[in-house]
Amino acid sequence: MTIIATNYKEHLVRSLTVQTIAIFFAAVCMLFAVQGLHASSEALPDSENCLYCHRYPQMGRYDENGKKRIFYVNERIFAKSVHGKLSCKSCHVSGLDQIPHTDIKKVDCTTKCHIKEPSTNQEFSHANVVLKMETSVHGRRNKDNPYPEDLPDCKSCHDNPLYATLDGMWCDNEALSNETLARCTVCHVRKEWAESFYTHFTHRMRKKRAQKDIVQLCTGCHEDREKMNRHGLESIETYKDTYHWKQVKYKVENAPDCLTCHVPVGHSTHEMYAQTDPRSPLHMNNRVSTCSHQGGIQVCHPGATPEFAMGRVHAYGAKAELAAAETTIKIGDDTDKSKSLVQIRAKKEISDKEIFHYEVLRYLTLIYKVLIGSTIGFMCLHQFLDYRRTRKRMKHSHHSSHPEKEDKI
Amino acid sequence: MLEQDSQKNNKNHGRLHRIIHFIKVLPQNMLKVIYLLPFFLFGLWLLQMVYFPKVEFKQRVTIVKPIIDDVAFFRKMLETKPAAAKGYFHTPDEYVTQGEHYPPLCSNCHGSYPHSKEKKIRSMLNFHSGFIACAVCHAHEKMPENAKVSFSWVDRETGTITTQVEGEYGKYSAKIFPLKIHKNGLREIFQPVSAEAAQEFIRLKQHFTPDQIAEAKIKLHGNISQKPVNCSECHVKDGYMNFADLGFTPNRVRHLISTEVVGLVEKYKSFYMPNEIDFGKK
């Protein structure tokens, strides 16, 4: 025990980060000692006895659109989730009093959930972040968008995440969590309460999703060509041709996923804008700082120049092709609305220089295709002719020569 | 005649002459065609109106576009890869997808949530399918008469009859099946629909006429009861199934047959729609 303790102490002395976090924790716990008194409503999960039916795993049905609806809630998993302290009715506000439930409204994340947010002592809701998201490029309040049904809602990206503890963040030492928590409970005698706040902070201290998961999440929509065409966007499968993706694929630490460039330090995932918007990290004025990624865990290209930053990360795709083609597409017909949108955007966003680059790239690709095709084609032809000649010769020698005689050319 | 002969002799000269002539009169002929074509078409249309009025009528009838007019829709269903976000807010656990030794044959056609008719109770009926085999409720009328039938747990993993069941509230390591008990003590799982027959039906379905399909479906479901077991037939004292024999604790048995469950069930009894409506036959 003593050996472990000394090792642990040494570890703390060595690791300045851990110590800083610990101090931060003490401060946070003290802050909540004052604020926490007001945080009153800690509803027990299932005080409404919803689990009477909803704890059965196969509870569910197919809805009117044929979508499989699972009505099962694992109470143990839910209790460990970030919403675990909420009662069902905090989010499912209507239609629950009747069995079977009728007139159910879709859960609205902007609902005030009667838990007081300690810094303001106001009832908590996600309204703030929802408003930001709704006015961003992914938001449905963006009236220019002809296909609002394609845009994501909260659930498109979020499920009910489980609290992550401090274990495994810096070391796989469960004792670290226990000791940190022990320091909190010195003052905050209600262990359950202390644990809840402790897990809240440890959960928020790091990115929960792996880089690959983020790429998978974004590509879920952004690789759908049909969907992207509707919005005048390029399908982003070309990201997978880049070195960035190779790093993500082979799990290099701090490898750049979609959010590293599109939401660098100081920006929010819920506030993403078109690259023509000056607020976007990919706006021409902000690109140098985005590539260098100063202030992030990984400073990526510290010496980035404007020329470097202008380079395309996603290779030339459908948009450049359309801009270069100069074909006219009827505007007004509903089916062609999307195509015309792509073209309008392409013409607006792609410079002549880029179109020239695209043309060069296209001819290079063509030359290589012809070169490779003809090389292999000639090889096949040569092999075939060689085979024919050999066969002919063998036939000839078989007919005319005696087995004792050596066949010489 | 002499001229013609000489033209024949001088083939090349004649052909050239004809081509030149053709080119010369081409614009003139084309103008004629352009001028006459509308009259010709108009005449055809008039003739058709007089002699084949039905053709005109047929052309005008079109089919209203159905909701799913996109044939590619079904192909796309196959290609759609599961999204990264599971689409379920409340994280489904392994109990939702856990496999079993005798996977229900019925779900191949009826889906994993087979109950959809009774809006009031469909979700509740569906959760029963997690721990009760379909045949328990849907083949009760057709259970073999000469042999004794009992209900027993069958282990999800091994497929063996067991009394050692772990878990609670639908999360059991086994599932309740109807067993046919022979006179020599041999116990068999009673399966109302033959798996081979069902597979053969699915294989041959596309070759059947609509009437044959209807007949085949009735034959295939021949061992399925007209009326399934009702909620209150089970959740009652001395009901369809002996909960105590199945190994439920006395407390749980009391709960299963309690006024709580029965009350819930009784309340729905008025909403219950029988599968088969008797149009005054009896």
Side-chain angles (χ1 to χ4, degrees):
Chain A
M1 276 303 287
T2 39
I3 295 163
I4 295 167
T6 25
N7 276 350
Y8 178 58
K9 272 178 190 166
E10 274 172 22
H11 178 80
L12 270 185
V13 173
R14 273 201 305 271
S15 161
L16 192 70
T17 335
V18 176
Q19 209 173 39
T20 323
I21 296 296
I23 292 165
F24 173 68
F25 249 96
V28 161
C29 290
M30 278 169 79
L31 177 77
F32 277 99
V34 185
Q35 297 288 352
L37 294 171
H38 303 287
S40 53
S41 64
E42 272 182 42
L44 279 169
D46 200 34
S47 53
E48 301 117 325
N49 207 13
C50 299
L51 290 175
Y52 189 88
C53 296
H54 288 275
R55 65 183 153 201
Y56 290 92
Q58 293 301 317
M59 182 159 201
R61 64 179 174 88
Y62 300 109
D63 71 8
E64 293 68 28
N65 299 317
K67 193 180 178 286
K68 187 175 178 173
R69 302 286 307 274
I70 298 176
F71 296 150
Y72 162 61
V73 177
N74 182 321
E75 67 267 38
R76 286 190 190 89
I77 291 182
F78 181 73
K80 282 182 193 164
S81 77
V82 301
H83 294 96
K85 285 270 174 283
L86 292 170
S87 65
C88 305
K89 279 185 182 171
S90 303
C91 299
H92 300 276
V93 288
S94 70
L96 295 201
D97 294 332
Q98 248 179 313
I99 298 175
H101 309 315
T102 42
D103 192 28
I104 288 262
K105 274 190 193 127
K106 227 181 151 186
V107 171
D108 180 1
C109 298
T110 61
T111 310
K112 286 182 179 173
C113 57
H114 304 302
I115 279 194
K116 283 187 177 161
E117 199 271 298
S119 70
T120 58
N121 209 18
Q122 301 285 316
E123 281 186 342
F124 182 77
S125 102
H126 293 294
N128 257 348
V129 79
V130 169
L131 181 71
K132 282 175 185 168
M133 203 284 253
E134 291 279 272
T135 45
S136 80
V137 79
H138 288 120
R140 293 182 186 186
R141 292 194 196 188
N142 193 341
K143 276 173 194 155
D144 299 337
N145 208 311
Y147 297 94
E149 69 276 11
D150 285 348
L151 298 170
D153 57 12
C154 305
K155 257 174 73 184
S156 309
C157 306
H158 297 283
D159 57 4
N160 190 16
L162 302 188
Y163 271 137
T165 57
L166 211 55
D167 324 332
M169 206 190 315
W170 293 289
C171 58
D172 285 328
N173 192 346
E174 205 189 322
L176 183 62
S177 263
N178 293 342
E179 287 211 12
T180 318
L181 192 58
R183 278 193 289 279
C184 301
T185 46
V186 171
C187 302
H188 309 292
V189 283
R190 278 184 61 204
K191 206 187 168 217
E192 197 192 319
W193 180 91
E195 213 171 288
S196 149
F197 277 106
Y198 168 76
T199 44
H200 175 83
F201 280 98
T202 49
H203 179 78
R204 295 301 296 169
M205 269 181 181
R206 59 171 159 175
K207 241 166 125 173
K208 182 92 191 302
R209 293 176 219 238
Q211 281 95 335
K212 221 171 178 175
D213 294 341
I214 288 175
V215 174
Q216 205 190 343
L217 182 69
C218 299
T219 51
C221 287
H222 285 274
E223 253 184 20
D224 186 336
R225 276 182 174 226
E226 211 178 293
K227 206 183 253 185
M228 287 305 104
N229 277 343
R230 284 205 283 268
H231 297 271
L233 295 169
E234 277 177 76
S235 162
I236 54 157
E237 60 223 13
T238 49
Y239 165 74
K240 292 190 175 166
D241 296 335
T242 64
Y243 184 63
H244 286 172
W245 164 246
K246 294 284 176 267
Q247 282 192 311
V248 170
K249 193 179 175 186
Y250 297 109
K251 293 176 186 162
V252 176
E253 210 184 340
N254 298 325
D257 56 36
C258 311
L259 300 184
T260 315
C261 303
H262 289 268
V263 190
V265 182
H267 293 263
S268 157
T269 323
H270 298 101
E271 294 173 272
M272 291 170 89
Y273 301 103
Q275 46 172 291
T276 44
D277 192 312
R279 289 172 291 180
S280 162
L282 300 176
H283 187 263
M284 286 302 172
N285 297 345
N286 306 331
R287 281 201 186 179
V288 175
S289 112
T290 301
C291 292
S292 68
H293 207 245
Q294 298 286 349
I297 296 173
Q298 175 85 55
V299 178
C300 302
H301 302 283
T305 61
E307 286 73 27
F308 173 82
M310 292 306 137
R312 285 182 73 93
V313 173
H314 300 278
Y316 298 91
K319 212 154 68 173
E321 194 180 347
L322 261 172
E326 289 278 343
T327 47
T328 45
I329 293 162
K330 268 193 291 175
I331 297 175
D333 188 2
D334 191 48
T335 48
D336 283 334
K337 201 160 76 178
S338 58
K339 278 185 186 167
S340 61
L341 193 74
V342 182
Q343 204 172 32
I344 290 164
R345 285 194 56 157
K347 279 182 182 165
K348 207 159 68 183
E349 287 169 18
I350 295 181
S351 65
D352 290 344
K353 200 177 162 189
E354 275 188 293
I355 292 172
F356 174 70
H357 284 177
Y358 167 73
E359 291 284 357
V360 171
L361 188 76
R362 206 166 57 150
Y363 283 117
L364 275 177
T365 318
L366 188 73
I367 289 167
Y368 267 97
K369 273 181 186 166
V370 171
L371 192 72
I372 293 166
S374 55
T375 311
I376 293 172
F378 277 126
M379 190 195 75
C380 290
L381 186 72
H382 176 263
Q383 290 294 96
F384 176 69
L385 290 174
D386 190 52
Y387 165 76
R388 271 195 63 178
R389 193 179 61 170
T390 316
R391 243 192 103 152
K392 214 172 174 182
R393 189 175 298 147
M394 281 176 78
K395 231 179 192 175
H396 183 74
S397 63
H398 182 75
H399 283 303
S400 63
S401 64
H402 299 287
E404 300 92 53
K405 272 190 177 178
E406 193 83 11
D407 186 23
K408 275 188 180 177
I409 308 152
Chain B
M1 288 299 280
L2 272 171
E3 271 181 2
Q4 277 179 357
D5 285 345
S6 67
Q7 266 181 358
K8 268 182 188 174
N9 289 339
N10 198 351
K11 267 184 187 173
N12 281 341
H13 180 258
R15 197 175 286 164
L16 193 72
H17 188 76
R18 249 181 284 157
I19 289 168
I20 290 166
H21 177 72
F22 180 75
I23 291 167
K24 267 184 190 169
V25 295
L26 187 69
Q28 198 186 330
N29 284 345
M30 272 180 71
L31 267 176
K32 279 180 191 169
V33 169
I34 290 166
Y35 177 71
L36 285 175
L37 196 67
F39 290 102
F40 181 70
L41 290 176
F42 179 67
L44 274 183
W45 182 69
L46 275 180
L47 280 174
Q48 184 222 307
M49 286 283 279
V50 175
Y51 294 107
F52 306 100
K54 276 182 184 171
V55 175
E56 175 80 358
F57 179 69
K58 264 183 194 166
Q59 276 174 353
R60 288 190 175 208
V61 175
T62 52
I63 297 168
V64 178
K65 251 188 174 180
I67 301 162
I68 300 173
D69 65 328
D70 189 2
V71 182
F73 174 82
F74 298 105
R75 192 157 289 276
K76 211 179 169 189
M77 270 173 78
L78 275 178
E79 287 162 3
T80 309
K81 54 177 181 180
K86 285 145 259 157
Y88 298 109
F89 184 77
H90 295 286
T91 327
D93 57 19
E94 71 278 7
Y95 292 109
V96 177
T97 49
Q98 68 178 334
E100 51 189 290
H101 199 271
Y102 299 111
L105 181 70
C106 314
S107 63
N108 287 349
C109 291
H110 296 276
S112 47
Y113 292 150
H115 304 96
S116 60
K117 277 186 191 165
E118 312 306 324
K119 285 188 176 182
K120 307 278 179 188
I121 46 170
R122 55 189 173 187
S123 299
M124 291 177 193
L125 293 176
N126 280 335
F127 78 59
H128 282 79
S129 65
F131 49 88
I132 298 178
C134 309
V136 172
C137 303
H138 289 277
H140 64 112
E141 288 171 359
K142 307 292 170 94
M143 290 204 185
E145 277 169 21
N146 49 354
K148 225 181 120 189
V149 171
S150 79
F151 301 105
S152 177
W153 293 97
V154 173
D155 195 89
R156 278 180 174 277
E157 262 183 47
T158 59
T160 50
I161 296 162
T162 179
T163 46
Q164 299 290 311
V165 183
E166 284 166 24
E168 50 171 19
Y169 303 119
K171 296 162 198 162
Y172 303 114
S173 60
K175 202 170 173 175
I176 300 169
F177 277 80
L179 295 181
K180 185 178 165 183
I181 302 164
H182 293 271
K183 275 168 195 164
N184 58 5
L186 185 76
R187 293 186 292 180
E188 276 183 322
I189 289 175
F190 173 63
Q191 202 182 27
V193 178
S194 143
E196 289 80 25
Q199 269 160 12
E200 190 68 359
F201 166 66
I202 291 167
R203 200 172 64 83
L204 295 175
K205 204 174 160 186
Q206 53 179 328
H207 305 295
F208 284 163
T209 64
D211 288 337
Q212 282 172 326
I213 288 179
E215 190 189 340
K217 274 161 117 178
I218 291 166
K219 286 264 159 66
L220 194 66
H221 293 103
N223 270 344
I224 300 297
S225 311
Q226 295 291 336
K227 282 183 185 178
V229 174
N230 204 331
C231 311
S232 55
E233 285 173 56
C234 249
H235 290 281
V236 70
K237 204 181 174 190
D238 303 326
Y240 181 63
M241 213 183 263
N242 192 326
F243 294 126
D245 281 0
L246 281 164
F248 286 103
T249 59
N251 231 353
R252 184 74 180 135
V253 173
R254 228 172 292 137
H255 176 254
L256 285 172
I257 61 170
S258 71
T259 45
E260 230 176 284
V261 178
V262 174
L264 204 70
V265 171
E266 289 293 316
K267 208 172 121 191
Y268 292 130
K269 210 173 175 182
S270 57
F271 301 123
Y272 182 75
M273 282 278 288
N275 266 7
E276 189 197 47
I277 297 171
D278 175 23
F279 291 99
K281 201 167 69 186
K282 285 169 193 170

